[in-house]
Amino acid sequence: MPKVVDPDARRREVVDALFRVVVRDGLQRTSLRAVADEAGLNIGSLRHYFASQQELMDFAMQSMLDGLTERLLQHVERIGDLSRHPREERLRLAAGLLAELLPLDARRRAEVTVFLDFNAAARTNPAFRDLAHQTAAGARRLVHRVLARLDESGTLRPGRDLALETERLTALLDGLCLTAVRDPDLLSAETCTRAVAVHLDDLSRRG
């Protein structure tokens, strides 16, 4: 009796294999054959699910974004109304939400590594640009939403320009991600989380 294969499960296995190859070898050296070998499939079986490397990359990036969005929404749901918490707890909860964007464990490190490679490729590959732009815009919306909720709860110092503060905090997160992935011996997970916490605390200080 032929083995029944769950197509969705197999696609997830291929995406996981893609992530491992990109993290280990870089996007430039990632091919369908390399991903097939990593997933334990022959190239013909892999092409049954993804006809091209572009299709696989698009699916993988969208899957990563969907997973991140789901985690963030769950985090937001757990936080609830920030105003019911004391100031220190509001800042801790906001920092915890933003930490989902940082490479603080194996899963998030793989996500950030793949995103950085993908984003670099998007500069010269038009096929990647729309999704890269969508990802960057989504990150800014998240940061702005977090700052807006802190502002609405009376946590931020009055008069803050939220548009400018969104760019400042996004730049901090981007820099932490890049350095933590490129030079993990120079920037630990603890320092990443501390940097975000101190930045948010500075935004809330009353002069």
Side-chain angles (χ1 to χ4, degrees):
M1 188 172 178
K3 181 181 178 181
V4 177
V5 177
D6 181 343
D8 291 334
R10 179 53 57 81
R11 287 188 181 92
R12 288 194 295 272
E13 291 172 5
V14 172
V15 168
D16 289 344
L18 167 72
F19 275 36
R20 292 194 298 272
V21 173
V22 174
V23 170
R24 185 181 64 236
D25 302 328
L27 185 61
Q28 299 288 347
R29 294 188 177 91
T30 299
S31 64
L32 283 182
R33 184 166 297 281
V35 175
D37 290 345
E38 181 71 24
L41 300 171
N42 62 54
I43 191 70
S45 295
L46 188 145
R47 287 188 184 279
H48 178 72
Y49 298 99
F50 301 101
S52 66
Q53 183 174 353
Q54 182 65 52
E55 184 178 330
L56 172 56
M57 282 301 304
D58 288 346
F59 183 86
M61 289 301 297
Q62 192 61 60
S63 296
M64 186 178 78
L65 291 176
D66 291 344
L68 176 58
T69 298
E70 182 178 354
R71 295 202 311 269
L72 291 172
L73 289 175
Q74 291 173 352
H75 204 124
V76 169
E77 185 66 24
R78 288 195 298 269
I79 289 175
D81 181 10
L82 277 178
S83 62
R84 65 189 175 90
H85 298 289
R87 171 187 170 277
E88 291 76 11
E89 181 68 3
R90 293 177 215 159
L91 293 172
R92 187 189 68 79
L93 291 169
L97 177 55
L98 294 170
E100 286 298 330
L101 302 176
L102 295 170
L104 303 182
D105 53 29
R107 182 201 64 208
R108 284 176 285 185
R109 177 172 293 277
E111 289 176 343
V112 172
T113 301
V114 171
F115 171 72
L116 289 173
D117 270 21
F118 182 83
N119 204 45
R123 188 181 68 82
T124 55
N125 187 339
F128 292 156
R129 285 177 189 163
D130 285 348
L131 197 53
H133 177 77
Q134 175 187 334
T135 305
R140 277 171 168 73
R141 284 194 298 272
L142 170 68
V143 171
H144 187 274
R145 183 176 179 182
V146 170
L147 291 175
R149 292 190 68 176
L150 288 172
D151 195 39
E152 290 161 5
S153 66
T155 310
L156 298 188
R157 186 163 70 246
R160 287 289 186 181
D161 182 337
L162 289 189
L164 180 59
E165 295 303 341
T166 295
E167 293 304 319
R168 287 212 310 149
L169 182 49
T170 300
L172 172 62
L173 293 167
D174 285 348
L176 292 172
C177 285
L178 178 61
T179 303
V181 166
R182 186 188 60 202
D183 297 303
D185 57 317
L186 298 180
L187 184 60
S188 67
E190 292 75 15
T191 302
C192 283
T193 55
R194 180 62 181 155
V196 173
V198 168
H199 183 85
L200 293 178
D201 185 65
D202 287 345
L203 292 179
S204 72
R205 293 292 176 184
R206 267 31 179 200

